[in-house]
């Protein structure tokens, strides 16, 4: 078995007395699209914020290419090729499309002007990236506040995918979007997969997951309830797992670990083997 | 499309309105008063505006991060008092000047420290406003003391070529400020922090560091302006710089810097400072009662804030037009 791109092992996180995550493990291969589903407060966002360097876990470790990787800050995560498309897009409304795409990673001029940002080069690249995504092009000098929700989503995706991302996390990518824009987001996810980029999609819309993902992982109360290959499940089964908070196939197997959990454990063991 | 073009014209007008207003005022005053359009008068206005410009460059950065600094007037007073006190102790110029500049920096960093903890900048710097002026009164016992140091007097009254020293200092500060705000990461990050702090943090920007730095910078510039004013007035007084912070904020806001952060230009701030001082100067030359000048300044500021909010509304409207043009079916 090949080493997974990213593996999270036994991640736990508490905020004061509130336990947000208990012993959560998951692994994702390059070019795989994983849907992360669960009710509100299931721990999806906390788990992804740990992966994107916003929170540090209380316990557990994160392996990148089979090697332990500290993700103490968002810059660490971005440096490791982990990008996040936030639900609210995390764009600065007053700044231009280009400035937002390069925020935190500005290109600088050379020589004596090495402290100055290179506006011309950034403008050119931003235009190229947005066109490459096949998303509707807002002029890159437009302030983000003057663009539509779909365009802002495009900017956020362009920012997440421009810098050789290896894993892109999308938090509710289709919330607040019109139908045509949703199609474009799904197409963008497909394009990422074909380029070997792993994608984690957090969504309330089961049809998003069924449409785009290879695999779905269900969280409830901060723990993994179960997981399914998409071709092996149906929407109502996932909804049942989200609501009931347990895997119906566990009961069928007569207690103990169900298929899904067993498969996950196997995957973890394979990933931990020395290369 | 006609409405779209009107909006663009409207946007253009509100964005550059101050520069037009400044130009119109200069033309009108030149006709109204024979003393207005003279090199000497312009130098006079520029010299009046210089300390304001020096501090307002710092205020532009602070307000870009959606902050405010009310303590700069008091800092000017404390610096002014300390300059004469240190000279009174027999300390040499080359110690006194760096010492008060360092004091300004530290005072700014203290403001910045509390702001980055999450306290409202208004309250933090208001506390610093009374604290610093209080210390100024304690140290000076309320008395103004003349300053005799040649270098300090030169900073306030001297000349470099045809220009007065404060004017040259203000130009240097404004040019550096403009380059930093417009061309460097630091300037961009200041705007990002003020525009949407959460987004800036998510993109790995050191939000706390930026806040510390902008308050530190305005502290340093406040101390510099304090030395300049001490030299110009010829004494160190705990009553120096009363209401100065408000004039600085007025100049910055007049220059189009958003009160809510995220939008700021140094050129606008300089134009704002010049505008306030040209209005005051023009009304003085016309023999208007100086108390009315304060009223006029207040009304201009009100108008500027009104335009500032109109800018926001126009851009939002403009955005809606763009969105309507987009071929996306509604949900």
């Amino acid at each position: 078995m090949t080493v997974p791109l990213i593996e999270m092992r036994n991640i736990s996180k508490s905020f004061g007395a509130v336990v947000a995550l208990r012993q959560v493990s998951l692994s994702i291969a390059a070019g795989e699209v994983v849907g992360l589903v669960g009710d509100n407060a299931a721990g999806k966002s906390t788990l992804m914020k740990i992966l994107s360097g916003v929170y540090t876990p209380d316990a557990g470790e994160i392996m990148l290419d089979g090697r332990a990787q500290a993700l103490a800050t968002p810059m660490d995560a971005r440096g490791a090729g982990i990008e996040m498309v936030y639900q609210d897009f995390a764009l600065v409304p007053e700044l231009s499309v280009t400035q937002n795409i390069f925020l935190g990673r500005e290109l600088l001029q050379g020589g004596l002007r090495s402290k100055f940002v290179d506006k011309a080069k950034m403008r050119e690249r931003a235009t190229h990236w947005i066109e490459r995504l096949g998303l509707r092009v807002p002029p890159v000098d437009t302030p983000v506040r003057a663009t539509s929700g779909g365009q802002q989503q495009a900017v956020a995706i362009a920012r997440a995918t421009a810098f050789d991302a290896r894993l892109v996390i999308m938090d509710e990518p289709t919330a607040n979007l019109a139908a045509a824009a949703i199609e474009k987001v799904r197409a963008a996810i497909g394009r990422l997969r074909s380029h070997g980029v792993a994608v984690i999609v957090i969504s309330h819309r089961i049809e998003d997951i069924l449409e785009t993902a290879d695999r779905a992982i269900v969280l409830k109360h901060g723990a993994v309830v179960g997981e399914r290959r998409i071709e092996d499940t149906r929407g109502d089964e996932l909804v049942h797992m989200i609501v009931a908070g347990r895997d119906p196939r566990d009961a069928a197997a007569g207690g103990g670990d169900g298929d899904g959990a067993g498969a996950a454990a196997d995957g973890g063991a394979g990933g931990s083997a020395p290369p | 499309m006609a409405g779209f073009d009107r909006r663009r014209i409207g946007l253009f007008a509100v964005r550059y309105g101050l520069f037009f207003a400044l130009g119109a005022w200069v033309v009108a005053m030149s006709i109204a008063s024979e003393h207005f359009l003279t090199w000497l008068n312009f130098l006079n206005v520029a010299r009046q505006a210089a300390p304001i410009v020096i501090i307002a460059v710092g205020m532009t950065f602070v307000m870009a991060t959606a902050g405010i600094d009310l303590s700069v007037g008091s800092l000017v007073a404390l610096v002014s008092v300390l300059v004469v006190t240190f000279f009174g102790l027999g300390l040499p110029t080359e110690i006194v000047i760096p010492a008060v500049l360092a004091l300004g920096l530290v005072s700014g960093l203290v403001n910045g420290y509390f702001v980055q903890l999450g306290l409202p900048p208004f309250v933090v710097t208001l506390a610093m406003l009374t604290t610093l002026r209080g210390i100024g009164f304690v140290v000076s016992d309320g008395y103004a003391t003349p300053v005799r140091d040649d270098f300090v007097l030169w900073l306030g009254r001297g000349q470099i070529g045809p220009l007065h020293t404060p004017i040259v200092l203000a130009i240097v500060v404004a040019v550096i400020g403009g380059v930093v705000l417009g061309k460097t990461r630091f300037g961009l990050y200041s705007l990002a922090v003020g525009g949407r702090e959460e987004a800036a943090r998510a993109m790995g920007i050191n939000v706390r560091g930026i806040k510390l730095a902008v308050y530190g910078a305005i502290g340093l510039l406040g101390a510099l302006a304090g030395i300049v004013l001490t030299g110009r007035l010829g004494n160190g007084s705990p009553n120096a710089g009363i209401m100065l912070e408000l004039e600085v904020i007025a100049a910055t806001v007049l220059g189009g810097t958003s009160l809510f952060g995220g939008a700021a230009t140094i050129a606008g701030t300089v134009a704002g400072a010049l505008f306030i001082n040209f209005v005051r100067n023009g009304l003085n030359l016309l023999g208007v009662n100086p108390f009315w000048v304060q009223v006029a300044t207040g009304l201009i500021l009100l108008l500027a804030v009104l335009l500032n909010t109109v800018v926001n509304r126009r851009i939002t409207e403009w955005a809606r037009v763009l969105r309507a043009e987009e071929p996306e079916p509604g949900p």
Side-chain angles (χ1 to χ4, degrees):
Chain A
M1 179 171 179
T2 54
V3 177
L5 174 67
I6 298 272
E7 199 190 343
M8 300 179 85
R9 284 189 199 163
N10 302 320
I11 301 285
S12 296
K13 177 75 182 174
S14 302
F15 299 97
V18 181
V19 180
L21 293 172
R22 33 190 128 216
Q23 304 271 319
V24 174
S25 298
L26 62 84
S27 68
I28 301 134
E32 190 182 24
V33 180
V34 171
L36 194 58
V37 293
D39 224 335
N40 289 333
K44 311 183 295 279
S45 294
T46 306
L47 189 63
M48 290 306 107
K49 281 181 175 166
I50 286 172
L51 205 45
S52 59
V54 178
Y55 297 152
T56 20
D58 298 335
E61 57 182 348
I62 297 166
M63 316 286 286
L64 182 70
D65 293 327
R67 277 190 297 275
Q69 174 88 30
L71 301 172
T73 67
M75 279 322 259
D76 284 355
R78 293 172 90 187
I82 301 170
E83 297 279 346
M84 178 120 177
V85 179
Y86 292 84
Q87 182 173 2
D88 67 356
F89 309 140
L91 301 171
V92 180
E94 285 80 7
L95 297 186
S96 73
V97 168
T98 304
Q99 286 170 325
N100 268 287
I101 287 180
F102 282 94
L103 192 56
R105 285 187 285 214
E106 292 76 14
L107 303 177
L108 298 175
Q109 302 182 13
L112 288 173
R113 301 173 144 253
S114 62
K115 292 283 174 202
F116 295 171
V117 296
D118 194 334
K119 292 180 184 174
K121 197 186 279 179
M122 288 195 284
R123 189 179 299 127
E124 186 187 311
R125 290 208 190 159
T127 310
H128 172 68
W129 283 330
I130 288 199
E131 280 170 358
R132 191 180 63 181
L133 272 173
L135 295 156
R136 190 185 148 81
V137 189
V140 292
D141 291 328
T142 317
V144 159
R145 70 186 308 160
T147 62
S148 71
Q151 289 173 333
Q152 292 182 16
Q153 174 75 280
V155 174
I157 292 178
R159 176 172 69 185
T161 55
F163 298 87
D164 297 325
R166 306 187 64 199
L167 168 68
V168 176
I169 303 163
M170 296 194 181
D171 190 1
E172 299 287 354
T174 58
N176 316 319
L177 287 193
I182 290 177
E183 268 319 305
K184 285 175 179 164
V185 170
R186 289 178 179 169
I189 293 172
R191 216 166 11 248
L192 286 172
R193 171 178 23 210
S194 67
H195 285 101
V197 178
V199 182
I200 297 179
V201 181
I202 304 173
S203 186
H204 273 96
R205 286 185 216 230
I206 296 294
E207 63 264 36
D208 278 348
I209 305 297
L210 295 176
E211 189 84 15
T212 57
D214 303 307
R215 189 154 57 96
I217 297 175
V218 183
L219 283 181
K220 175 103 177 175
H221 297 318
V224 175
V225 171
E227 62 178 279
R228 288 283 185 280
R229 311 271 337 150
I230 291 301
E231 64 268 18
D232 185 32
T233 189
R234 292 197 334 220
D236 52 1
E237 188 187 31
L238 289 177
V239 171
H240 177 79
M241 287 162 74
I242 292 168
V243 175
R246 56 191 169 77
D247 192 333
R249 298 184 196 179
D250 282 356
D257 278 351
D259 295 345
D266 290 344
S272 67
Chain B
M1 280 317 278
F4 182 65
D5 286 334
R6 249 202 326 275
R7 275 194 187 86
R8 286 184 100 160
I9 293 165
L11 270 175
F12 187 78
V14 278
R15 178 177 293 175
Y16 298 107
L18 173 67
F19 297 92
F20 292 131
L22 180 57
W25 177 262
V26 168
V27 170
M29 285 311 304
S30 305
I31 297 166
S33 167
E34 53 183 328
H35 305 294
F36 186 81
L37 194 64
T38 62
W39 176 242
L40 198 66
N41 189 49
F42 272 53
L43 279 184
N44 202 17
V45 170
R47 198 160 47 134
Q48 294 280 338
I52 305 292
V53 168
I54 291 172
I55 306 177
V57 167
M59 192 67 82
T60 307
F61 278 89
V62 169
M63 290 178 69
T65 69
I68 199 157
D69 189 346
L70 299 176
S71 70
V72 285
S74 299
L75 176 62
V76 162
L78 179 58
V79 163
S80 166
V81 165
L82 286 181
V83 164
V84 291
T85 307
F86 288 164
F87 281 132
L89 294 174
L91 294 173
T93 313
E94 49 272 24
I95 304 249
V96 172
I97 301 295
V100 293
L101 288 176
L103 171 98
L105 179 65
V106 168
S107 141
L109 289 174
V110 170
N111 277 331
Y113 174 76
F114 285 108
V115 169
Q116 61 88 29
L117 285 182
L119 274 63
F122 185 91
V123 180
V124 170
T125 59
L126 184 63
M128 194 59 99
L129 177 153
T130 68
T131 308
L132 293 180
R133 195 171 293 277
I135 297 174
F137 273 103
V138 169
V139 171
S140 66
D141 219 4
Y143 294 108
T145 312
V147 62
R148 302 188 204 290
D149 182 78
D150 286 339
F151 182 67
V152 172
L153 289 173
W154 175 77
L155 282 179
R157 304 170 173 181
Q159 287 196 311
I160 299 176
L163 296 174
H164 294 95
T165 320
I167 301 175
V168 176
L169 285 175
I171 291 172
V172 169
V173 167
V175 167
I176 293 175
V179 168
V180 170
L181 184 61
K183 291 191 185 295
T184 70
R185 284 181 166 169
F186 181 79
L188 190 62
Y189 293 173
S190 302
L191 292 166
V193 165
R196 185 170 290 171
E197 192 173 322
E198 278 316 308
R201 189 171 291 126
M203 291 304 114
I205 290 169
N206 181 354
V207 173
R208 292 166 174 233
I210 296 282
K211 286 186 177 177
L212 265 179
V214 294
Y215 285 93
I218 195 176
L220 190 63
L221 293 171
L224 176 62
I227 300 169
V228 168
L229 270 173
T230 306
R232 193 172 88 196
L233 300 173
N235 63 47
S237 162
N239 286 307
I242 286 181
M243 302 258 279
L244 189 70
E245 61 281 344
L246 297 187
E247 201 173 325
V248 168
I249 293 166
T252 311
V253 170
L254 205 53
T257 294
S258 167
L259 289 162
F260 311 107
T265 64
I266 298 293
T269 296
V270 171
L274 287 177
F275 188 60
I276 290 177
N277 281 279
F278 267 120
V279 167
R280 181 180 300 151
N281 169 261
L283 294 178
N284 283 343
L285 288 180
L286 290 182
V288 175
N289 180 335
F291 296 125
W292 279 114
V293 176
Q294 289 192 23
V295 176
T297 310
L299 292 179
I300 290 168
L301 182 60
L302 193 62
L303 186 70
V305 177
L306 189 69
L307 288 179
N308 211 328
T309 19
V310 167
V311 172
N312 287 340
R313 206 176 305 141
R314 292 278 171 140
I315 290 181
T316 321
E317 258 173 53
W318 183 32
R320 231 176 276 130
V321 170
L322 280 184
R323 202 168 304 166
E325 285 171 353
E326 202 181 13
E328 280 179 6

